[in-house]
mmCIF file of all heavy atoms in Angstrom:
data_model
loop_
_atom_site.group_PDB
_atom_site.id
_atom_site.type_symbol
_atom_site.label_atom_id
_atom_site.label_comp_id
_atom_site.label_asym_id
_atom_site.label_seq_id
_atom_site.Cartn_x
_atom_site.Cartn_y
_atom_site.Cartn_z
ATOM 1 N N ASP A 16 2.685 -4.395 0.510
ATOM 2 C CA ASP A 16 3.865 -4.765 -0.216
ATOM 3 C C ASP A 16 3.725 -5.916 -1.216
ATOM 4 O O ASP A 16 4.722 -6.672 -1.410
ATOM 5 C CB ASP A 16 4.986 -5.137 0.905
ATOM 6 C CG ASP A 16 5.302 -3.938 1.783
ATOM 7 O OD1 ASP A 16 5.173 -2.839 1.434
ATOM 8 O OD2 ASP A 16 5.623 -4.329 2.973
ATOM 9 N N GLU A 17 2.608 -6.020 -1.774
ATOM 10 C CA GLU A 17 2.351 -7.024 -2.767
ATOM 11 C C GLU A 17 3.028 -6.756 -4.069
ATOM 12 O O GLU A 17 3.242 -7.681 -4.853
ATOM 13 C CB GLU A 17 0.826 -7.179 -2.997
ATOM 14 C CG GLU A 17 0.017 -7.609 -1.777
ATOM 15 C CD GLU A 17 -0.495 -6.428 -0.977
ATOM 16 O OE1 GLU A 17 -0.012 -5.313 -1.214
ATOM 17 O OE2 GLU A 17 -1.353 -6.599 -0.036
ATOM 18 N N GLY A 18 3.332 -5.455 -4.375
ATOM 19 C CA GLY A 18 3.910 -5.097 -5.592
ATOM 20 C C GLY A 18 2.985 -4.132 -6.403
ATOM 21 O O GLY A 18 3.076 -4.112 -7.609
ATOM 22 N N LYS A 19 2.189 -3.422 -5.690
ATOM 23 C CA LYS A 19 1.131 -2.594 -6.267
ATOM 24 C C LYS A 19 1.885 -1.444 -7.210
ATOM 25 O O LYS A 19 1.413 -1.201 -8.312
ATOM 26 C CB LYS A 19 0.364 -1.831 -5.233
ATOM 27 C CG LYS A 19 -0.440 -2.742 -4.297
ATOM 28 C CD LYS A 19 -1.093 -2.008 -3.160
ATOM 29 C CE LYS A 19 -0.068 -1.570 -2.134
ATOM 30 N NZ LYS A 19 0.603 -2.500 -1.343
ATOM 31 N N GLY A 20 2.895 -0.845 -6.578
ATOM 32 C CA GLY A 20 3.591 0.160 -7.336
ATOM 33 C C GLY A 20 4.141 -0.296 -8.683
ATOM 34 O O GLY A 20 3.855 0.374 -9.769
ATOM 35 N N LYS A 21 4.645 -1.464 -8.766
ATOM 36 C CA LYS A 21 5.232 -1.967 -10.042
ATOM 37 C C LYS A 21 3.959 -2.130 -11.005
ATOM 38 O O LYS A 21 4.073 -1.764 -12.241
ATOM 39 C CB LYS A 21 5.850 -3.395 -9.858
ATOM 40 C CG LYS A 21 5.973 -4.075 -11.143
ATOM 41 C CD LYS A 21 6.688 -5.397 -11.245
ATOM 42 C CE LYS A 21 6.370 -5.938 -12.717
ATOM 43 N NZ LYS A 21 7.196 -7.110 -13.020
ATOM 44 N N GLY A 43 5.357 2.252 0.770
ATOM 45 C CA GLY A 43 6.625 2.288 -0.004
ATOM 46 C C GLY A 43 6.388 1.528 -1.265
ATOM 47 O O GLY A 43 6.221 0.346 -1.159
ATOM 48 N N HIS A 44 6.327 2.231 -2.413
ATOM 49 C CA HIS A 44 5.942 1.525 -3.672
ATOM 50 C C HIS A 44 7.241 1.535 -4.617
ATOM 51 O O HIS A 44 7.657 2.607 -4.903
ATOM 52 C CB HIS A 44 4.816 2.218 -4.320
ATOM 53 C CG HIS A 44 3.501 2.011 -3.615
ATOM 54 N ND1 HIS A 44 2.281 2.542 -3.976
ATOM 55 C CD2 HIS A 44 3.273 1.425 -2.356
ATOM 56 C CE1 HIS A 44 1.313 2.279 -3.073
ATOM 57 N NE2 HIS A 44 1.949 1.513 -2.106
ATOM 58 N N THR A 45 7.728 0.344 -4.801
ATOM 59 C CA THR A 45 8.923 0.205 -5.551
ATOM 60 C C THR A 45 8.668 0.031 -7.119
ATOM 61 O O THR A 45 7.839 -0.781 -7.464
ATOM 62 C CB THR A 45 9.699 -0.960 -5.108
ATOM 63 O OG1 THR A 45 9.655 -1.013 -3.700
ATOM 64 C CG2 THR A 45 11.206 -0.957 -5.521
ATOM 65 N N ARG A 314 10.450 -8.408 6.737
ATOM 66 C CA ARG A 314 9.041 -8.771 6.676
ATOM 67 C C ARG A 314 8.881 -10.176 7.209
ATOM 68 O O ARG A 314 9.729 -11.074 6.920
ATOM 69 C CB ARG A 314 8.572 -8.666 5.347
ATOM 70 C CG ARG A 314 8.547 -7.211 4.793
ATOM 71 C CD ARG A 314 8.214 -7.134 3.257
ATOM 72 N NE ARG A 314 8.199 -5.796 2.792
ATOM 73 C CZ ARG A 314 8.519 -5.470 1.458
ATOM 74 N NH1 ARG A 314 8.829 -6.354 0.636
ATOM 75 N NH2 ARG A 314 8.549 -4.165 1.191
ATOM 76 N N MET A 339 2.197 -11.989 -8.023
ATOM 77 C CA MET A 339 3.564 -11.390 -8.083
ATOM 78 C C MET A 339 4.635 -12.382 -7.334
ATOM 79 O O MET A 339 4.240 -13.196 -6.439
ATOM 80 C CB MET A 339 3.653 -10.103 -7.118
ATOM 81 C CG MET A 339 2.524 -9.079 -7.352
ATOM 82 S SD MET A 339 2.540 -8.358 -8.947
ATOM 83 C CE MET A 339 4.042 -7.341 -8.965
ATOM 84 N N LYS A 340 5.847 -12.230 -7.710
ATOM 85 C CA LYS A 340 6.992 -12.766 -7.051
ATOM 86 C C LYS A 340 6.991 -14.349 -6.931
ATOM 87 O O LYS A 340 7.685 -14.849 -6.104
ATOM 88 C CB LYS A 340 7.044 -12.222 -5.638
ATOM 89 C CG LYS A 340 7.248 -10.630 -5.623
ATOM 90 C CD LYS A 340 7.524 -10.126 -4.283
ATOM 91 C CE LYS A 340 9.100 -10.114 -3.998
ATOM 92 N NZ LYS A 340 9.469 -9.117 -2.952
ATOM 93 N N ASP A 342 8.627 -16.058 -8.829
ATOM 94 C CA ASP A 342 9.946 -16.337 -9.199
ATOM 95 C C ASP A 342 10.788 -16.666 -7.978
ATOM 96 O O ASP A 342 11.743 -17.411 -7.985
ATOM 97 C CB ASP A 342 10.570 -15.226 -10.039
ATOM 98 C CG ASP A 342 10.456 -13.935 -9.367
ATOM 99 O OD1 ASP A 342 9.317 -13.381 -9.213
ATOM 100 O OD2 ASP A 342 11.484 -13.379 -8.933
ATOM 101 N N SER A 421 3.524 -11.425 -12.775
ATOM 102 C CA SER A 421 4.806 -10.706 -12.629
ATOM 103 C C SER A 421 5.923 -11.735 -12.355
ATOM 104 O O SER A 421 5.780 -12.506 -11.460
ATOM 105 C CB SER A 421 4.794 -9.734 -11.483
ATOM 106 O OG SER A 421 6.009 -9.087 -11.294
ATOM 107 N N GLY A 423 9.401 -10.911 -12.160
ATOM 108 C CA GLY A 423 10.499 -10.276 -11.726
ATOM 109 C C GLY A 423 10.222 -8.868 -11.402
ATOM 110 O O GLY A 423 9.156 -8.352 -11.747
ATOM 111 N N PRO A 424 11.099 -8.141 -10.573
ATOM 112 C CA PRO A 424 10.749 -6.737 -10.234
ATOM 113 C C PRO A 424 10.718 -5.716 -11.339
ATOM 114 O O PRO A 424 9.999 -4.729 -11.188
ATOM 115 C CB PRO A 424 11.918 -6.401 -9.195
ATOM 116 C CG PRO A 424 12.927 -7.360 -9.519
ATOM 117 C CD PRO A 424 12.423 -8.609 -10.155
HETATM 118 P P1 GDP B 1 4.018 -2.206 -2.900
HETATM 119 O O1 GDP B 1 4.091 -1.557 -1.587
HETATM 120 O O2 GDP B 1 2.805 -3.054 -3.004
HETATM 121 O O3 GDP B 1 4.195 -1.320 -4.051
HETATM 122 O O4 GDP B 1 5.340 -3.248 -2.940
HETATM 123 P P2 GDP B 1 6.790 -2.944 -2.371
HETATM 124 O O5 GDP B 1 7.495 -2.052 -3.360
HETATM 125 O O6 GDP B 1 6.793 -2.431 -0.974
HETATM 126 O O7 GDP B 1 7.414 -4.403 -2.306
HETATM 127 C C1 GDP B 1 7.422 -5.211 -3.513
HETATM 128 C C2 GDP B 1 8.899 -5.667 -3.738
HETATM 129 O O8 GDP B 1 8.963 -6.733 -4.615
HETATM 130 C C3 GDP B 1 9.734 -4.556 -4.388
HETATM 131 O O9 GDP B 1 11.066 -4.695 -3.921
HETATM 132 C C4 GDP B 1 9.667 -4.873 -5.875
HETATM 133 O O10 GDP B 1 10.707 -4.411 -6.607
HETATM 134 C C5 GDP B 1 9.614 -6.410 -5.830
HETATM 135 N N1 GDP B 1 8.903 -7.031 -6.821
HETATM 136 C C6 GDP B 1 7.776 -6.706 -7.506
HETATM 137 N N2 GDP B 1 7.313 -7.649 -8.282
HETATM 138 C C7 GDP B 1 8.243 -8.684 -8.255
HETATM 139 C C8 GDP B 1 8.275 -9.943 -8.885
HETATM 140 O O11 GDP B 1 7.501 -10.423 -9.632
HETATM 141 N N3 GDP B 1 9.384 -10.677 -8.512
HETATM 142 C C9 GDP B 1 10.372 -10.302 -7.639
HETATM 143 N N4 GDP B 1 11.284 -11.107 -7.376
HETATM 144 N N5 GDP B 1 10.187 -9.075 -7.000
HETATM 145 C C10 GDP B 1 9.234 -8.312 -7.387
#
Side-chain angles (χ1 to χ4, degrees):
D16 301 329
E17 297 89 349
K19 301 172 290 294
K21 166 180 168 165
H44 294 181
T45 315
R314 295 174 182 150
M339 314 295 292
K340 300 191 85 159
D342 55 292
S421 173

